[in-house]
Amino acid sequence: MNPLVSAAELAAALTAPNPPRVLDVRWKLGGPPGREEYAKGHVPSAVYVDLDTELAGHGLPTDGRHPLPAIADFQAAARGWGLNDGDAVVAYDDVSGMSAARAWWLLRHAGFENVRVLDGGLTAWLAAGGAVETGRPDVAPGTVHLEFGQLPVLDADAAEAVAAHGVLLDARAGERFRGEVEPVDPRAGHIPGAVSAPTADTIGPDGRLLPQRELAERFAALGIDAGTRAGVYCGSGVTAAHAALAMEAAGLPIPALYPGSFSAWSNDPARPVAVGAD
């Protein structure tokens, strides 16, 4: 399944007999919760999803800033969104899918197949003339059953092995990869052997993902094809999910994701950190 849905496709689906459940995953690192923006206006029928509390767990610094939630907690949250087994789901945000991809990846990892991301997010929806509504819709609790384990996941040792024997993509901005700046984590740089692949480079000027062929060419230039042992990480595991989304949109297998990402790696003094472009 194409992991993306256009604004026009979503508008048509919302008028169908069995419309998808729409998830509003607006979130900004270090900013206020997106719930306030959701209240001002959202895609009709959308339910707000809090990335920090519903799409992430809590742990030690060596677990990273956004470790995976416990499956029981994630299932409870999904039921609160009204999800039932077999539902179709569309997630969106206002940052070109950068946070909505976290919901997409978690649901896929938990065995939910029919989930897509609105290409271009709320900006594309509004540009296409999509309506917005205020207030939270009445949502009957769902009964969905979820279980993690459907997508490949890396711990620190496995990430190190992929960097040595495959292609480990670092989805952060290039200056963070090179160690020139580090606004959040305790050490600057990257996992040794990783390849810089800013996920922002997969997004076109219109806020949508690049066309499939361009995405495939980009990943090929990074050394990835359908048979590559590939992994991806970022600062805390959120942007890495967007890189995974871009790879599937390119027609490639979803890569193994390191949920702890650099926030976990850099908090472990036993883990080496590399700096520079290579």
Side-chain angles (χ1 to χ4, degrees):
M1 177 182 294
N2 185 343
L4 303 174
V5 62
S6 70
E9 290 170 332
L10 176 57
L14 289 177
T15 63
N18 295 301
R21 176 65 62 195
V22 182
L23 307 180
D24 184 311
V25 198
R26 279 182 274 182
W27 171 85
K28 290 180 177 64
L29 177 64
R35 193 181 301 275
E36 296 178 5
E37 296 303 315
Y38 168 85
K40 294 176 183 177
H42 51 264
V43 173
S45 79
V47 174
Y48 178 70
V49 175
D50 190 303
L51 189 149
D52 285 319
T53 63
E54 297 182 296
L55 303 182
H58 303 281
L60 298 172
T62 48
D63 295 322
R65 287 192 307 280
H66 290 104
L68 301 187
I71 187 59
D73 294 338
F74 183 57
Q75 179 175 272
R79 289 180 176 182
W81 309 331
L83 294 194
N84 296 297
D85 294 324
D87 281 351
V89 177
V90 173
Y92 77 92
D93 55 33
D94 57 357
V95 285
S96 300
M98 291 282 192
S99 56
R102 173 73 171 203
W104 166 83
W105 186 90
L106 276 172
L107 285 168
R108 290 290 299 273
H109 183 44
F112 216 87
E113 290 292 333
N114 194 357
V115 53
R116 293 186 286 176
V117 171
L118 175 59
D119 196 15
L122 186 62
T123 300
W125 176 259
L126 296 174
V132 295
E133 64 182 20
T134 59
R136 190 182 191 280
D138 292 328
V139 177
T143 58
V144 67
H145 296 84
L146 300 175
E147 184 175 353
F148 287 150
Q150 305 307 306
L151 293 180
V153 175
L154 303 173
D155 60 13
D157 288 339
E160 185 177 42
V162 173
H165 304 293
V167 179
L168 181 64
L169 300 180
D170 184 316
R172 299 173 301 161
E175 57 268 25
R176 289 186 69 189
F177 174 88
R178 295 187 295 271
E180 296 166 2
V181 298
E182 183 44 66
V184 186
D185 295 318
R187 290 187 286 167
H190 58 269
I191 297 174
V195 176
S196 181
T199 196
D201 291 350
T202 65
I203 300 170
D206 60 357
R208 297 175 175 85
L209 276 175
L210 297 173
Q212 180 179 6
R213 187 178 69 177
E214 292 183 36
L215 289 173
E217 290 174 349
R218 177 181 182 274
F219 288 115
L222 295 169
I224 294 178
D225 59 26
T228 304
R229 181 184 181 187
V232 63
Y233 75 95
C234 59
S236 69
V238 174
T239 307
H242 186 273
L245 174 76
M247 283 189 63
E248 186 170 62
L252 296 166
I254 296 175
L257 189 146
Y258 176 22
S261 285
F262 196 68
S263 59
W265 183 279
S266 61
N267 268 291
D268 184 348
R271 300 286 175 182
V273 170
V275 296
D278 189 352

